Amino acid sequence: MSFSNSDPVNVAFAGLELHGMYISGDADYAVVKLSSGYNICVPASVCTAAPERAAATPAKVTAEPLKQDAKLPLLAIVSTGGTIASTVDYRTGAVSSKFTAEDIVRSIPELAVIARYHTLQPFNVLSENMNPAMWQELARAVHDEIASGAKGVIVTHGTDTMLYSAAAVSFMLETPVPVIFVGAQRSADRPSSDNAMNAICSVKAGISDLGEVVVCMHATSDDVACALHRGTRVRKNHTSRRDAFQSVGRGPVGVVSYPDGNVNLTGDAVLRGTHELRLFDRLEPNCGLLQYYPGMNPNLFDAFSGCRGLVISGTGLGHVGTDCIEKIAALNASGTFVVMTSQCQAGEVCDRVYETGRDLLAAGVVEGGSMLPEVALVKLMWVLGNTSRPEDAVRMMQTNLKGELDYDLWREM
C-alpha cells in the first residue's frame, strides 16, 4: 500500500502496535512520526492505513495565582519564546513556542524556593524571527524591571539567535544586577530536555554577585553544571548538543554547579553593583554582515550600497581577495562604515602585516580586533545609532566596552 505525506498509519513492529503519521519512504521502507513525537524507519510492509484520530479537547483549567514567598529575593522573568518555552505539536512533530513566563515557573517547582518572580512576555517568537526592534523592546523591558526593584532578570530566549540578543542588550544596558539569558536545546516534553536544569541554574545566577549580561546553558553534555558566558563573547557552536554554547577566545565568567546551585565567578566577571542602571537603546538597523570566501564575486559588495555599516568576516588576520578592495573603497567613500573581523575562533585582526591588509586600511576599513563577527554587527548597529561622527564611530568600535575586545585598540594606536 502506498501512502502520502501526513497520512495516519498503524505500525505493527517488534511485537508493538503503534500509531503515527507517514512522512516519507519507498516501496521497501517507511519513515513514520509516532504519536510520541519521535521518528522511526520500519519496513513498509508493517504499515497499514489508519483513520485520523480526533484530537482531544483539553479541559479548561483556571490557573491559581502563583504562591510566592515574600522573604525571597525578587527576580524578573522576561519571556520571549524559544524552545525553553515550547512543546511538541504531536500532529506535525514540530516544536512551537506556547508557554508564558508564568507557565515556566509553574512547571519547574524548584524555582519557587529560590526566589519570587515578576513575569512578563513582551513577545513570543522563535528566535530566528527576532530583529533589532525587538532587541530594543527587550532592553527596555529589562531596564524597567531593574528600575522597579528586580534583583536580577532572567530572559528566556530561543537559542538560534540568542547570542545576537545577548550582545545587543549588553551594549544597550548598563546594569547593576545580573541579566541572564537562558534557553533550551530540547523542549520540556523530551526525555533529554535541558530546560529545567538551565532554568534553575539561571535563577541561581540571577541572585548571585554577578553584575553583567550572560548566557546560561549546559557546560557539558551531562547534568552537572551550567556555564555563564559573557554576552559579547559567546557563540552557539553545535546545532543540537545541550552544551552547544561556548565562550570564544576565553573561558566563561562563571559556572553554576548542579544540583547544589553554587555559583563560582571568575576574577574577570563584572560584579553586582559595579555599574548604575542606564539605558542607551538607539540602534541603526541598516547594517550588514558578509563572510568572504575564496573566489567571491566582488559585485556582492554592491548589495550593501546604501547601508550605514558593513561588517566583513574575513580570512586569517582579516583579509579578502584583492579584487574586492576597490568595491570596499567605493562603499567607504559613499558613507558606509566598514569593519573587518576574522573567521578564526581566536586571535585578532591585524591588517598591517600583509600587503592586502594595508590596502584594506587605505580603503577605509576599520580593524575589529578580536570581536566575533556577529557581535561586531550588533555593536556597529549600536555605535551608528549613537553617533554620526565617523571619528567617534572608529573610537567606539575599537574601545572595549563590554568585554567584546581583548583590549582597547584605539588607545593602543
Side-chain angles (χ1 to χ4, degrees):
M1 179 179 292
S2 61
F3 300 100
S4 300
N5 189 287
S6 299
D7 281 351
V9 294
N10 289 324
V11 179
F13 186 69
L16 300 174
E17 294 292 333
L18 306 172
H19 179 78
M21 180 179 66
Y22 179 84
I23 298 176
S24 63
D26 53 29
D28 297 319
Y29 293 97
V31 177
V32 177
K33 180 170 291 296
L34 298 179
S35 300
S36 65
Y38 287 91
N39 296 347
I40 60 171
C41 181
V42 294
S45 59
V46 305
C47 298
T48 56
E52 182 68 69
R53 295 188 178 183
T57 302
K60 288 188 177 181
V61 178
T62 302
E64 295 182 2
L66 284 174
K67 295 179 180 179
Q68 308 211 56
D69 186 344
K71 298 178 182 178
L72 295 175
L74 175 65
L75 296 182
I77 297 183
V78 182
S79 176
T80 68
T83 301
I84 194 170
S86 298
T87 56
V88 174
D89 180 340
Y90 290 107
R91 184 184 64 81
T92 64
V95 173
S96 58
S97 186
K98 296 177 180 178
F99 290 166
T100 65
E102 283 201 3
D103 291 328
I104 295 170
V105 176
R106 294 180 197 279
S107 65
I108 306 174
E110 294 92 335
L111 300 181
V113 300
I114 304 173
R116 56 193 173 95
Y117 307 94
H118 178 248
T119 64
L120 69 153
Q121 189 174 41
F123 39 80
N124 183 21
V125 298
L126 296 174
S127 72
E128 57 267 30
N129 296 316
M130 291 288 287
N131 57 52
M134 290 179 175
W135 298 340
Q136 291 173 298
E137 186 176 352
L138 177 57
R140 292 163 190 154
V142 172
H143 171 274
D144 291 348
E145 290 300 305
I146 299 171
S148 297
K151 302 303 181 183
V153 179
I154 312 301
V155 179
T156 66
H157 197 289
T159 60
D160 278 9
T161 67
M162 185 155 59
L163 68 97
Y164 291 91
S165 298
V169 173
S170 296
F171 291 118
M172 287 189 281
L173 187 72
E174 292 281 358
T175 177
V177 304
V179 177
I180 317 294
F181 278 77
V182 64
Q185 288 286 83
R186 299 166 192 179
S187 58
D189 39 8
R190 297 295 192 188
S192 60
S193 178
D194 52 339
N195 79 315
M197 176 178 157
N198 290 351
I200 292 167
C201 289
S202 71
V203 167
K204 286 290 188 178
I207 60 173
S208 73
D209 291 332
L210 192 66
E212 61 177 305
V213 179
V214 299
V215 169
C216 176
M217 294 288 287
H218 263 57
T220 69
S221 60
D222 298 322
D223 294 334
V224 295
C226 280
L228 303 176
H229 305 282
R230 176 162 286 149
T232 58
R233 294 299 311 182
V234 63
R235 174 179 281 164
K236 183 177 181 179
N237 281 339
H238 197 280
T239 58
S240 58
R241 284 177 62 103
R242 298 194 297 174
D243 58 345
F245 282 77
Q246 297 176 6
S247 293
V248 180
R250 66 192 69 175
V253 297
V255 174
V256 185
S257 58
Y258 185 82
D260 58 60
N262 290 330
V263 181
N264 297 300
L265 303 178
T266 69
D268 189 39
V270 179
L271 298 181
R272 182 185 290 270
T274 300
H275 299 290
E276 294 184 1
L277 180 63
R278 301 176 69 187
L279 179 67
F280 306 91
D281 60 353
R282 292 193 297 271
L283 291 175
E284 170 49 71
N286 190 21
C287 296
L289 172 62
L290 178 63
Q291 177 166 309
Y292 174 77
Y293 56 88
M296 190 177 82
N297 189 331
N299 290 331
L300 289 176
F301 283 94
D302 293 340
F304 299 93
S305 178
C307 285
R308 287 287 313 283
L310 172 64
V311 173
I312 301 172
S313 180
T315 60
L317 291 170
H319 298 144
V320 297
T322 54
D323 55 350
C324 294
I325 295 176
E326 183 178 348
K327 290 288 188 179
I328 293 171
L331 280 176
N332 181 69
S334 69
T336 301
F337 192 97
V338 183
V339 177
M340 179 64 71
T341 62
S342 176
Q343 298 167 19
C344 297
Q345 290 287 302
E348 62 187 71
V349 167
C350 182
D351 280 321
R352 292 168 173 77
V353 178
Y354 295 99
E355 179 181 357
T356 298
R358 292 179 177 270
D359 289 341
L360 285 166
L361 292 175
V365 166
V366 175
E367 293 171 304
S370 56
M371 274 190 292
L372 304 179
E374 304 94 331
V375 173
L377 171 65
V378 174
K379 183 178 182 180
L380 184 57
M381 290 181 180
W382 182 80
V383 165
L384 296 180
N386 286 275
T387 184
S388 59
R389 290 163 48 90
E391 58 270 31
D392 289 340
V394 174
R395 174 180 55 80
M396 293 167 71
M397 286 300 297
Q398 296 191 328
T399 298
N400 183 28
L401 300 176
K402 294 299 177 73
E404 72 280 7
L405 289 166
D406 290 329
Y407 56 87
D408 292 348
L409 302 173
W410 178 260
R411 295 174 185 174
E412 294 288 326
M413 292 175 64

